[in-house]
Amino acid sequence: VSFLKELNREFPDMKTALTTNGSLLGEYAEGLAEANLHSLNISLDTLDPVKFAEVTRLGDMDRVIFGIRAAVGAGLRNIKLNTVLIRGFNDGEIGTLMDFAKKERVLLRLIEFMPLEDDVWSEDAFISGEEILRMLPDGDSWKAEKHDSELSGPAKYYTNEKTGDSIGIITAVSNHFCKHCNRLRVSATGKLRTCLFAPDETPMRHLILDADREGLRKLILGSIKNKPRCWNDVRTGHQQMSGIGG
Ligand code: SF4
């Protein structure tokens, strides 16, 4: 939170977004609102406490729900719930998740299951964005929003003509957006990663510690040139999302 506040003071026009599992939001929501966070993505794959414990290993669903409420209560803007839809795991929960998101006044986004880890991903478990759309309650009432806003990111948004509800679908696999991707990730240990699927990371901590701006600039520009055109070009099948940070 202190880093975000500093960032916002230094670069007031920069938009900051945070992706989190929500476990500590109850504690930090007020501070994040004070830091003028622009948008908040909370990962929530299930509302079944048993499945939640299974998929997060140590997670506490009540704590996450408390955190979501704290974030809304603190006035944080653009709060989205991110749900990776997996056949046989949470595909029966779409209606429940939609009701929950509506009640908590946050936006739900359903995401295709990405083949990062061969040990957990399978074709059978994969549900395409087209199928997700067909699975939504109220079938034909969902219409694609004509002009996605600058906040859309990789999601395509749909509005329910009957209820006015909105939902986002992220087709990270079936209709990937790699050629438009401008994401670079820096890990907590100061390593630069150009793609979720790429196994390589470039250490930049030494340049950060030396405040070597020119060195950093060169390293970042060099890395951008090596961004893949498609995730499938660099996929190893051994990337763990939990180790990358989503
Ligand atoms: S280039 Fe990599 S990080 Fe960017 S959208 Fe494609 S898979 Fe995701």
Side-chain angles (χ1 to χ4, degrees):
V1 170
S2 57
F3 170 68
L4 282 173
K5 284 184 179 169
E6 199 182 318
L7 206 60
N8 189 41
R9 263 198 306 274
E10 186 83 11
F11 305 101
D13 294 334
M14 188 163 85
K15 288 177 179 158
T16 46
L18 182 75
T19 299
T20 171
N21 61 25
S23 296
L24 296 175
L25 262 181
E27 215 173 304
Y28 292 109
E30 291 283 349
L32 290 170
E34 282 166 22
N36 202 21
L37 190 73
H38 185 261
S39 53
L40 178 68
N41 301 322
I42 305 166
S43 304
L44 182 69
D45 290 336
T46 176
L47 283 166
D48 177 321
V50 176
K51 286 188 200 165
F52 186 90
E54 182 193 324
V55 76
T56 59
R57 295 187 199 119
L58 291 170
D60 177 345
M61 204 178 78
D62 289 340
R63 238 176 125 184
V64 175
I65 293 174
F66 177 73
I68 293 168
R69 290 178 181 155
V72 174
L76 278 159
R77 299 165 289 164
N78 306 314
I79 304 175
K80 303 177 208 93
L81 290 189
N82 285 345
T83 302
V84 177
L85 213 60
I86 302 173
R87 198 184 315 281
F89 175 70
N90 59 359
D91 51 330
E93 288 189 63
I94 295 179
T96 315
L97 285 157
M98 287 170 73
D99 291 345
F100 174 78
K102 187 171 182 173
K103 186 169 144 245
E104 303 299 337
R105 291 174 287 135
V106 295
L107 185 58
L108 180 66
R109 301 195 302 182
L110 300 172
I111 305 172
E112 288 180 349
F113 188 20
M114 289 189 282
L116 281 158
E117 281 180 79
D118 286 350
D119 289 349
V120 293
W121 189 88
S122 73
E123 251 176 67
D124 290 345
F126 174 76
I127 310 175
S128 71
E130 269 182 32
E131 190 179 345
I132 293 174
L133 192 56
R134 286 198 301 272
M135 289 164 80
L136 299 181
D138 278 341
D140 293 343
S141 303
W142 295 94
K143 302 292 174 218
E145 289 181 9
K146 285 202 180 87
H147 302 292
D148 289 331
S149 74
E150 56 167 323
L151 303 176
S152 309
K156 178 97 195 150
Y157 286 95
Y158 296 85
T159 304
N160 186 317
E161 285 187 325
K162 281 191 209 155
T163 63
D165 295 340
S166 287
I167 196 163
I169 297 180
I170 301 184
T171 53
V173 179
S174 68
N175 187 15
H176 69 79
F177 27 81
C178 298
K179 68 177 179 200
H180 301 295
C181 172
N182 59 5
R183 304 279 162 110
L184 295 175
R185 293 173 167 81
V186 182
S187 73
T189 52
K191 290 180 182 147
L192 184 70
R193 180 185 284 270
T194 56
C195 170
L196 276 178
F197 282 82
D200 303 323
E201 291 183 323
T202 310
M204 52 195 286
R205 189 161 184 262
H206 58 293
L207 298 172
I208 297 170
L209 290 176
D210 291 345
D212 181 353
R213 283 174 178 253
E214 187 51 27
L216 268 176
R217 199 180 73 85
K218 279 192 185 144
L219 183 142
I220 292 168
L221 290 178
S223 298
I224 289 171
K225 281 189 193 143
N226 293 324
K227 260 178 91 65
R229 287 177 184 277
C230 170
W231 55 266
N232 212 9
D233 296 343
V234 289
R235 192 185 94 85
T236 63
H238 306 297
Q239 297 294 334
Q240 287 185 313
M241 188 68 110
S242 57
I244 305 170

